[in-house]
């Protein structure tokens, strides 16, 4: 197991390296010079060829690509000093570059935005598991009844709505139309500064949107997995042993049904942690998702690069965790 | 990519099963579609006017041996080792599953050889080698003057017509999305042997041969019962007029009463088309009925081979004896209680790391030192009887000293005797010699 | 967890009634389905005494499993309608409350299933699954006791190194060992009734022989009543005292093993006997199949449900076979032997027509006997 994790981590590092190279190359050989965006920004869109050249030279974009990539990697480990036009900026390790917009080290902003994104992800995922799994189990046990059919079809309807539309409607109705007290002022307010209540009420609607939407999906996953598990032979065996229904359903049925659910959850949760663009944008939460959206719009290349790298790292780690958890849940799976 | 239509559709998953699992409801109607008229045997006889005498007439007695039939397929020292890979990025080969390890036999023209043995002994692998779904690691398979083992997939193509396979599971071996007509007719088109407009006629002919209504060519497999599906599988295998049919557990997925229908059909087909069968089954009674000759396999090797009367009547190998004594016997009802039987303890060892010497020695009650040291050769000890055991003998009269010492040039403990000249090598010919080693006289005798 | 009074019932308690341990009377099981009601079992009556083995044979779908699962109360009350009477050790279980039923299940009666790999939970250790079966009926036992008991049972069914293998998962066992573990689990509470539903169908003959030996040893030791369900008449011949032949949900012949297998009086049983080859039979014996396919339970045939496939119905006058269901009546070889068939002289037909084809060597013996 340990050897497996180490092996997976090594291959993860490999993948991250490849991703970083790919991103680097993409903007190096992009449609315009990589210095174009910052030049435009600094000169209020009056970037002349001469000015562009200055930016390119100071940012090192006239050097060969591998040399600059080397510097970039080195910066991640030991930090570096970056020059933009005539100003020098200090960027300590791990240096992911400077935002073209704020001239601040990208890393600092990244770190400052992680709590917001993680708050949304954890709260939303908590909600959808909390409701999705038990409702799914209950539906599976009442499979075929009117209640089950009504539930399944209404949930199917909700999950067929595109998520951004769903989140937007939630926001519209709850904040504008109904003006739900306390929760209408959405956004991220750090617990440490504004206290837990403000933090909670700011994120509440985002959680509800994510939670309801996820809950409809997880109810369906759980129901499906549970229906299958309950029709297995070992359930009949458990019954034949004289076990109480509760033990049969939860200890034997749910235990088996959880395996596929946990697998899907791991991947989903990783995606949430990497930044939820729609949720953050709609509920005005200053998280990584929104940040990357802004960076793309503002052609803030170092930020785009950093957020992409961050997603890759989070996804690789969550995939590894899924595999480890899977092997713990299903003893037939040997990690090696 | 192989061209074998059988191979292709066997891998296709059935959708039917998946649906049933998903809805959790049991389907009732598919098992026996009421609109399908019941048909029986090779001639369409309504059961209404079937009386016992007619039915009995169509039932067959055990197939008889034709001792003079020439071999149509000669398998010599056939081997199949599956590599066992380590995991990781660089997948090194860390061992081999010796699934089939040097087996030799002949399948007589129009006859049938049965292959029996416990699960995992390599029966299916042998069948798959002969139909060249696998390429053998070593050995030869002579068919029609050509060595199937050496041919490339392309060179194999014309020969696939002659060597066909019937699969075990009639539920998964037929593609549920194709009609019976296209399943049975596919080989005709692949091999391009009859004009397009003749395909349907041939398909209907074949359906009639296997006792299905020829009008049903445009139905789907799920409209048929298990036994009828197996008939479709048989029709498909017959499409190209094969000379050899490999039947891998053709009836074990069927209900008892249906098994007999299919066995009789196979006997009809054998008599009518003169096809040779390699008949793989773990049901020793069915094999006894269908095959005048039987090979017993253990862990990738043939341990005993001979005609029906010898193998079932006076087996000489301890494994064959144990296997036969384990079969529950209906006749026991007259006596009551259970038969005396040889108890085999433990499980079959791993074919990755088989025991040295005789592979059966870990479970053999007669095993001695020599058994661990020297592998017993497959020795011909009767006109049509070969056995691989140092202490071969009828039940209750296994010799006290090894019978193979002189032949192998070893002493009773299996250590080489200095200066001795072994007269028998490990390798025996696929068929039978005119002379053999007589156990009683310890002499080579002959007819 | 479980109510106390029943759980620790001593063997003496359970024996405190007269007559066979299991008595099934006029059992009927119907499943409502989308296509209409399916009566999987009807008019089924049989009994099994302690220390005796009943074999149930019949084609796939004939209701063997459904009837046994009714005895165990394993049918979902919502999807199965059960009528008739099933008495286990004197207790009527049809209509018994779920909690009382639970006390019997796994305790007074146990069931082992065909595919042990599927029937054992893949995620729990063998030992854990055995302990669970023990603890649910011994609420005062400690986890340690349960583990000791589990090891003891594994040892009893012949698992080598049981104290080590107890911590294995089912997939780490071989097929035969898994079936042994199933048996250990079934017997852990010393049940008086054991139902084995095709316990050896998926196993090699050598392993089958081991398992059958084991079942027989254990039965002797625990003196339990055993029902063994199988397709294999050979297994029946060697294991069962009595045999019940089922066709389309009904009992069509019932008697001692010797009566059923040597002097059967019902064409379906003849068909079963003639359609299987035998390892020791004469090679002149014919393999005579039962024509056609098993009937649909949705639209069961009128009259004798076997009539569409029966090749002897021409010996019954008129259209009796297709219009009137034959009663289950005593056969000629004794009152304990029952058969459901209109044939007037089944013995004559069997000896003069059937036997010469399927067992020519027995005909000579028979004629010698009668002489
Ligand atoms: N493709 C493969 N790769 C690796 N090992 C294989 C492969 N196919 C078969 N084996 C192994 O080869 C051995 C022989 O397998 P085979 O399927 O021939 O047995 P069998 O006699 O047909 O058994 P059964 O009665 O269960 O069908 C087994 O140990 C099996 O695990
Ligand atoms: N829950 C159910 N709903 C509807 N029909 C059912 C249900 N369970 C069983 N049946 C039907 O009852 C009939 C008898 O089934 P049963 O499982 O008892 O057969 P069996 O004799 O055990 O056959 P096998 O040898 O295949 O195990 C079958 O036709 C089956 O389709
Ligand atoms: S060679 Fe030895 S171990 Fe092998 S079967 Fe014969 S007596 Fe047994
Ligand atoms: S009652 Fe008639 S149809 Fe039924 S088994 Fe007897 S003879 Fe055959
Ligand atoms: Mg096989
Ligand atoms: Mg069953």
């Amino acid at each position: 197991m340990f050897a497996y994790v180490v092996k997976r981590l090594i291959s993860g590092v490999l993948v991250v390296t490849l991703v970083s190279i790919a991103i680097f190359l993409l903007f190096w050989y992009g449609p315009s010079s990589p210095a174009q965006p910052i030049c435009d920004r600094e000169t209020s869109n009056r970037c002349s060829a001469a000015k562009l050249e200055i930016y390119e030279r100071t940012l090192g974009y006239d050097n060969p690509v591998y040399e600059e990539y080397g510097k970039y990697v080195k910066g991640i480990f030991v930090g570096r000093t970056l020059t933009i036009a005539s100003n020098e900026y200090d960027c300590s390790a791990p240096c992911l570059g400077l935002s073209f917009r704020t001239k601040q080290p990208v890393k600092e902003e990244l770190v400052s935005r992680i709590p917001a994104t993680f708050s949304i992800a954890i709260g939303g995922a908590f909600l959808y598991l909390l409701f999705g799994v038990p409702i799914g189990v209950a539906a599976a046990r009442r499979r075929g009844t009117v209640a089950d059919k009504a539930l399944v079809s209404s949930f199917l309807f909700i999950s067929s709505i595109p998520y951004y539309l769903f989140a937007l409607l939630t926001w519209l109705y709850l904040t504008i139309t109904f003006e739900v007290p306390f929760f209408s002022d959405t956004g991220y307010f750090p617990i440490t500064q504004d206290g837990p209540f403000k933090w909670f009420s700011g994120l509440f609607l985002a959680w509800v949107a994510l939670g309801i939407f996820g809950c409809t999906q997880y109810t369906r996953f759980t129901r499906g997995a549970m229906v299958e598990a309950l029709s297995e032979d070992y359930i009949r065996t458990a019954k034949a042993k004289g076990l109480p229904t509760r033990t049969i359903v939860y200890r034997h049925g749910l235990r088996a049904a959880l395996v596929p659910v946990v697998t899907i959850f791991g991947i989903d949760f990783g995606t949430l942690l990497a930044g939820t663009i729609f949720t953050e944008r709609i509920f005005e939460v200053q998280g990584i998702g929104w940040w990357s959206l802004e960076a793309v719009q503002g052609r803030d290349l170092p930020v785009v690069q950093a957020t992409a790298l961050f997603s890759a790292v989070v996804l690789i780690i969550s995939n590894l965790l899924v595999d480890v958890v899977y092997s713990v849940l299903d003893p037939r799976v040997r990690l090696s | 990519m192989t061209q074998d239509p059988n191979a292709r559709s066997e891998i296709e998953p059935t959708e039917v099963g998946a649906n049933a699992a998903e809805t959790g409801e049991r389907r009732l109607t598919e098992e026996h579609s009421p609109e399908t008229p019941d048909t029986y045997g090779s001639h369409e006889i309504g059961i209404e006017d079937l009386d016992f005498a007619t039915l009995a007439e169509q039932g067959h007695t055990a197939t008889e041996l034709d001792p003079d039939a020439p071999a149509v397929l000669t398998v010599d020292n056939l081997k199949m080792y599956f590599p066992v890979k380590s995991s990781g990025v660089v997948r090194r080969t860390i061992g081999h599953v010796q699934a089939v390890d040097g087996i030799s036999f002949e399948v007589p023209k129009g006859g049938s050889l049965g292959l029996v043995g416990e699960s995992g002994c390599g029966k299916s692998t042998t069948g798959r080698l002969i139909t060249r779904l696998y390429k053998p690691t070593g050995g030869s398979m002579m068919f029609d003057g050509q060595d199937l083992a050496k041919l490339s997939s392309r060179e194999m193509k014309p020969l696939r017509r002659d060597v066909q396979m019937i699969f075990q599971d009639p539920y998964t071996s037929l593609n549920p999305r194709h009609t019976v007509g296209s399943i049975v007719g596919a080989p005709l088109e692949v091999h391009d042997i009859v004009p397009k407009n003749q395909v349907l006629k041939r398909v209907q002919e074949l359906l009639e041969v296997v006792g299905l209504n020829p009008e049903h060519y445009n139905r789907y497999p799920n409209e048929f019962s298990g036994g009828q599906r197996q008939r479709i599988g048989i029709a498909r295998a017959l499409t190209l007029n094969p000379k050899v049919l490999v039947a891998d557990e053709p009836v074990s997925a069927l209900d008892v009463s249906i098994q007999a229908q299919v066995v009789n059909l196979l006997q009809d087909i054998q008599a009518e088309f003169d096809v040779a069968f390699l008949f793989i089954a773990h049901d020793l009674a069915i094999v006894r009925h269908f095959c005048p000759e039987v090979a017993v396999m253990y862990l990738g090797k043939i341990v005993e081979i001979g005609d029906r009367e010898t193998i079932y009547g006076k087996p000489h190998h301890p494994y064959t004896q144990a296997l036969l004594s384990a079969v529950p016997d209906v006749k026991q009802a007259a006596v009551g209680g259970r038969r005396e039987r040889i108890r085999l303890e433990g499980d079959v060892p791993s074919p990755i790391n088989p025991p040295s010497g005789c592979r059966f020695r870990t479970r053999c009650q007669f095993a001695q030192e020599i058994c661990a040291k020297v592998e017993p050769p497959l020795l011909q000890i009767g006109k049509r009887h070969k056995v691989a055991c140092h202490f071969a003998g009828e039940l209750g009269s296994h010799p006290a000293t090894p019978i193979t010492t002189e032949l192998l040039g070893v002493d009773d403990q299996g250590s080489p005797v200095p200066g001795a000249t072994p007269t028998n090598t490990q390798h025996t010919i696929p068929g039978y010699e005119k002379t053999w080693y007589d156990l009683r006289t310890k002499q080579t005798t002959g007819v | 967890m479980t109510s106390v009074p029943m759980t620790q019932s001593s063997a003496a308690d359970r024996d405190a009634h007269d007559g066979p341990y299991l008595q099934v009377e006029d059992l009927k099981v119907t499943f409502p389905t989308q296509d209409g009601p399916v009566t999987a079992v009807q008019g089924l009556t049989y009994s099994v005494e302690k220390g005796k083995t009943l074999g149930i044979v019949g084609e796939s779908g004939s209701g063997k499993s459904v009837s046994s699962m009714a005895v165990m109360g394993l049918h979902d009350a919502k999807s199965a309608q059960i009528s008739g009477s099933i008495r286990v050790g004197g207790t009527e279980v049809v209509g018994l409350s779920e909690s009382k039923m639970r006390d019997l299940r796994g305790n007074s009666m146990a069931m082992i299933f065909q595919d042990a790999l599927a029937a054992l939970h893949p995620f729990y250790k063998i030992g854990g699954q055995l302990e669970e079966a023990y603890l649910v009926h011994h609420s005062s036992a400690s986890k340690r006791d349960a583990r000791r008991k589990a090891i003891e049972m594994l040892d009893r069914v012949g698992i080598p190194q049981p104290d080590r293998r107890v911590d294995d998962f089912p997939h780490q066992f071989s097929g035969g060992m898994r079936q042994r573990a199933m048996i250990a689990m079934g017997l852990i509470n010393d049940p008086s009734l054991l139902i084995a539903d095709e316990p050896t169908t998926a196993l090699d003959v050598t392993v089958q022989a081991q398992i059958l030996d084991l079942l027989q040893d254990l039965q002797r030791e625990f003196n339990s009543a055993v029902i063994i369900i199988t397709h294999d008449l050979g297994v029946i011949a060697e294991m069962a005292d009595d045999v019940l032949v089922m066709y389309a949900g009904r009992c069509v012949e019932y008697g001692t093993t010797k009566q059923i297998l040597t002097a059967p009086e019902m064409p379906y049983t003849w068909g079963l006997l003639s359609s299987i080859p035998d390892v020791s039979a004469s090679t002149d014996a014919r393999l005579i199949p039962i024509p056609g396919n098993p009937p649909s339970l949705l639209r069961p045939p009128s009259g004798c449900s076997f009539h569409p496939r029966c090749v002897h119905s021409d010996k019954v006058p008129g259209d009796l076979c297709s219009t009137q269901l034959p009663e289950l009546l005593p056969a000629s070889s004794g009152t304990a032997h029952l058969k459901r068939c209109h044939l007037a002289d089944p013995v004559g037909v069997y000896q003069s027509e059937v036997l010469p084809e399927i067992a020519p060597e027995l005909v000579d013996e028979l004629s010698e006997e009668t002489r």
Side-chain angles (χ1 to χ4, degrees), chain A residues 58-59 80-84 87-91 95-98:
Chain A
T58 55
L59 284 167
R80 65 197 279 209
T81 307
L82 282 155
T83 320
I84 300 179
N87 306 329
E88 288 203 345
Y89 300 87
D90 199 37
C91 179
C95 173
L96 295 169
L98 296 181

Side-chain angles (χ1 to χ4, degrees), chain C residues 187-211:
Chain C
L187 294 178
I188 199 162
N189 293 314
D190 193 358
S192 304
L193 171 64
L194 180 70
I195 302 177
D197 191 350
E198 315 209 12
T200 57
T201 305
L203 303 174
D204 274 321
V205 274
T206 48
V207 184
Q208 164 170 294
Q210 293 170 2
I211 299 289

Side-chain angles (χ1 to χ4, degrees), chain A residues 114-182:
Chain A
I114 284 178
T117 291
F118 280 24
S119 295
I120 290 194
I122 294 172
F126 174 75
L127 276 185
Y128 64 58
L129 281 189
L130 184 70
F131 291 103
V133 172
I135 296 178
V137 171
R141 290 183 63 183
R142 289 166 187 73
R143 179 169 50 94
T145 62
V146 179
D148 170 50
K149 282 180 185 152
L151 187 92
V152 169
S153 47
S154 58
F155 276 20
L156 190 64
F157 173 72
I158 296 179
S159 24
S160 62
I161 306 173
Y163 174 66
Y164 66 90
L165 194 63
F166 178 81
L168 204 61
L169 288 176
T170 313
W171 176 78
L172 259 175
Y173 275 95
L174 295 181
T175 63
I176 311 284
T177 316
F178 301 132
E179 293 189 42
V180 187
F182 309 123

Side-chain angles (χ1 to χ4, degrees), chain B residues 421-437:
Chain B
T421 44
T423 50
N424 189 298
T425 53
Q426 293 284 328
H427 189 81
T428 42
I429 61 155
Y432 295 101
E433 306 265 16
K434 290 263 180 297
T435 58
W436 62 87
Y437 182 79

Side-chain angles (χ1 to χ4, degrees), chain A residues 1-54:
Chain A
M1 171 95 136
F2 178 72
Y4 174 80
V5 172
V6 170
K7 222 188 281 175
R8 280 288 299 265
L9 283 176
I10 292 173
S11 72
V13 168
L14 226 93
V15 172
V16 171
T17 312
L18 288 177
V19 168
S20 71
I21 292 177
I23 300 167
F24 206 86
L25 289 179
L26 263 180
F27 88 79
W28 195 272
Y29 294 111
S32 61
S33 157
Q36 188 79 43
I38 187 164
C39 177
D40 283 349
R41 177 183 291 276
E42 302 277 297
T43 57
S44 316
N45 284 337
R46 275 192 299 268
C47 178
S48 64
K51 279 194 180 142
L52 182 64
E53 217 241 270
I54 297 175

